Amino acid sequence: MSERVARITRTGGPEVIEWVDVDLPPPGPGEVRMRHHAVGLNYIDTYHRSGVYPVDLPAGLGSEAAGVVEAVGEGVDGLKVGDRVGTFGPSRGAYATARNVAANQLFRLPDDVDDRTAAAMLLKGCTVEALVDRCARVQAGQTVLVWAAAGGVGQLMTGWLKAIGATVIGTAGTHEKAEHARTAGADHVLLHRDEDVVARVKDITDGAGVAVVFDGVGMASWERTLAVTARRGLIVSYGNAGGAVTGVNLGVLAAKGSLFVTRPTLFDYYVTPDERQAGIERLYAMLRSGAIRPEIGQTFALEDAADAHRALEAGETRGSTILTV
């Protein structure tokens, strides 16, 4: 039986995504065959497709999926045929009906987390866990700014931050998205296209600025991020939706108040099995407590992934986007 798999042989726009039929071999040592039921769409997928993050070609796309184990390779312990599992990488190739994947990249899915929810939150949720808890170490009582608070990561991050006692200022592009950010728990929501974000943040914080900025936008927001960060504050720059930040001037960090800046990568925080398991258990706990409520704002058929990329890059999505198999 052949499987449908997305491939890119060149980088570029969504049109470079091609679908091919492949015959999967049996899973190799340490691998399982995973049948996908739902696939998560993430901004990093567009970076791989466009060449912002270089990949060896030809290449698969996507790292996040939920499904079931269909076959188990030699040496795999702890997983069996029929187990429900999810993954968020680091290997790519989730844009497929099925694939062989390293067993150590899989997490068991508990009965109270369905496939669609898992595909909508595994990568984004563990990203939030790493950024908020491990990287920024946000404390109760701190005021933080979340750019794009109505996005898939933004909504989860907002709920997470509120659960630990932070005051959240979020940004959004439209009134509709602003309402979604408020629903997620934001204390203040700024319309970044219509309002002076810097002036509004300064007003909200009595001129001090925020302790932490979570900036997944990049270059388009960089100057405003610098301007709203409090003295000795931390900028967590984790995405490039508005272009990559380049040429960071260390002198500017001094002039703005001895600021700290980090450009974290998720898998530097999820290296060991213990780190991975601790992160996923923390995510499940936040979900069960109601602190985070993953919103599936839109759904596309798997082979309409190019249309999903277009919508994401045009800012036409809210919450999480999943591809259904």
Side-chain angles (χ1 to χ4, degrees):
M1 176 180 174
S2 63
E3 306 293 346
R4 294 289 283 170
V5 176
R7 288 282 186 271
I8 59 170
T9 57
R10 58 191 175 94
T11 56
E15 70 280 356
V16 304
I17 301 174
E18 302 174 347
W19 289 89
V20 297
D21 293 309
V22 300
D23 292 320
L24 284 180
E31 291 184 334
V32 303
R33 177 176 296 172
M34 179 181 177
R35 172 70 50 189
H36 294 160
H37 292 164
V39 174
L41 175 71
N42 293 282
Y43 227 102
I44 195 171
D45 301 350
T46 70
Y47 300 158
H48 293 140
R49 187 213 72 223
S50 65
V52 171
Y53 291 173
V55 296
D56 293 331
L57 299 174
L61 288 175
S63 57
E64 184 178 37
V68 64
V69 174
E70 283 195 334
V72 177
E74 181 183 353
V76 173
D77 294 320
L79 289 174
K80 63 183 186 303
V81 173
D83 282 348
R84 295 181 58 242
V85 292
T87 182
F88 56 80
S91 67
R92 295 181 301 278
Y95 291 13
T97 52
R99 62 172 168 153
N100 293 332
V101 60
N104 62 11
Q105 295 186 20
L106 299 178
F107 298 100
R108 286 180 176 274
L109 297 181
D111 292 341
D112 58 347
V113 178
D114 63 70
D115 293 335
R116 288 166 56 90
T117 299
M121 77 164 193
L122 284 178
L123 179 59
K124 299 175 186 69
C126 288
T127 295
V128 169
E129 186 273 335
L131 296 181
V132 173
D133 288 358
R134 305 191 199 192
C135 177
R137 301 180 183 180
V138 176
Q139 302 297 308
Q142 289 186 315
T143 300
V144 303
L145 176 67
V146 177
W147 283 96
V153 171
Q155 287 190 34
L156 296 179
M157 183 176 285
T158 297
W160 199 294
L161 288 162
K162 287 302 298 177
I164 62 177
T167 297
V168 180
I169 304 172
T171 74
T174 67
H175 288 283
E176 180 185 9
K177 289 187 175 184
E179 284 304 310
H180 286 280
R182 291 189 186 96
T183 299
D187 297 282
H188 310 272
V189 183
L190 313 181
L191 296 173
H192 64 82
R193 295 171 182 166
D194 304 326
E195 299 184 76
D196 184 333
V197 170
V198 175
R200 291 280 286 116
V201 170
K202 293 289 188 179
D203 180 58
I204 292 167
T205 60
D206 294 326
V210 294
V212 183
V213 179
F214 293 97
D215 191 340
V217 177
M219 197 64 222
S221 56
W222 180 245
E223 292 298 328
R224 287 174 289 179
T225 287
L226 286 171
V228 300
T229 307
R231 180 176 284 114
R232 300 192 305 275
L234 172 65
I235 298 171
V236 181
S237 178
Y238 67 93
N240 309 311
V245 177
T246 59
V248 176
N249 185 330
L250 297 183
V252 171
L253 302 182
K256 295 292 186 179
S258 301
L259 305 184
F260 296 85
V261 178
T262 182
R263 181 59 173 88
T265 298
L266 173 62
F267 293 106
D268 284 331
Y269 288 86
Y270 277 61
V271 179
T272 69
D274 286 347
E275 288 175 341
R276 290 171 62 85
Q277 193 59 36
I280 201 72
E281 292 299 335
R282 174 81 162 134
L283 174 61
Y284 290 157
M286 279 294 204
L287 179 68
R288 290 176 181 131
S289 73
I292 58 172
R293 299 179 296 276
E295 179 195 14
I296 300 174
Q298 44 283 312
T299 301
F300 292 81
L302 179 65
E303 293 199 33
D304 291 334
D307 290 334
H309 277 224
R310 292 185 183 97
L312 181 64
E313 291 179 298
E316 297 170 354
T317 64
R318 72 169 191 271
S320 296
T321 301
I322 62 169
L323 311 175
T324 54
V325 183

